[in-house]
Amino acid sequence: QRNPRVVKYGPVQLTVTRQPDGADRVAMMSVAAANPSPVGLPEVDAVLPHLPRTRDELTRLLAAAGIAAEHDTTEGVDQVTLPSGVRFVFDQGRLHSVHVSAKKPPVKQLSVSLPVDTITALEALAKKRKVGRVQDLVASLLADQAKAEK
């Protein structure tokens, strides 16, 4: 299977990623608000009528609720992003879609030099555990070790 993979159901699009432990996780959900549920998804049909339909309506709603939001129009995309990571995308001022992404924890890069035979062993272990990249395997091993020592 491809990682990540996209699953579509009517106006709902899910981006599913395979985790190092083999579990699937929904990393992002998008709902096309400009095209209400033609397949009759009750959850989508119930939510869409209550969404603000224009950027101005959303801005007023957020201001009234005291919610800070980032407005961005770079690269021709008009979007409003909430601190939670929820993005509202507008086309000509009207709501086009809503995107919900799992927030990623902040990361720092660390470089370590290892002997070739250690790298080879890590590559074999990553393949055995069906982890795509050695760095994902190492991150998982280190996280497991840190949890075990708590």
Side-chain angles (χ1 to χ4, degrees), residues 42-84:
E43 301 84 3
V44 176
D45 289 337
V47 171
L48 286 178
H50 304 291
L51 287 175
R53 294 295 185 178
T54 67
R55 185 169 33 89
D56 292 338
E57 287 176 12
L58 177 64
T59 301
R60 284 193 301 271
L61 177 70
L62 295 173
I67 299 173
E70 255 182 58
H71 299 262
D72 184 14
T73 55
T74 56
E75 298 180 21
V77 177
D78 183 11
Q79 62 186 1
V80 175
T81 305
L82 304 183
S84 63

Side-chain angles (χ1 to χ4, degrees), residues 129 137-150:
R129 291 191 181 184
L137 171 69
V138 172
S140 176
L141 293 172
L142 292 172
D144 291 347
Q145 183 64 36
K147 288 178 191 172
E149 292 187 15
K150 280 189 174 182

Side-chain angles (χ1 to χ4, degrees), residues 6 11 15 29 32 37 39 41 48 58 62 64 74 80 82 93 99-100 103 105-107 113 118 120 124 130 135-136:
V6 175
T15 302
M29 177 185 79
S37 180
V39 293
L41 283 173
L48 286 178
L58 177 64
L62 295 173
T74 56
V80 175
L82 304 183
H99 304 265
V100 181
K103 289 209 73 153
V107 295
S113 296
T118 301
T120 303
K130 297 181 181 171
Q135 49 266 54
D136 294 332

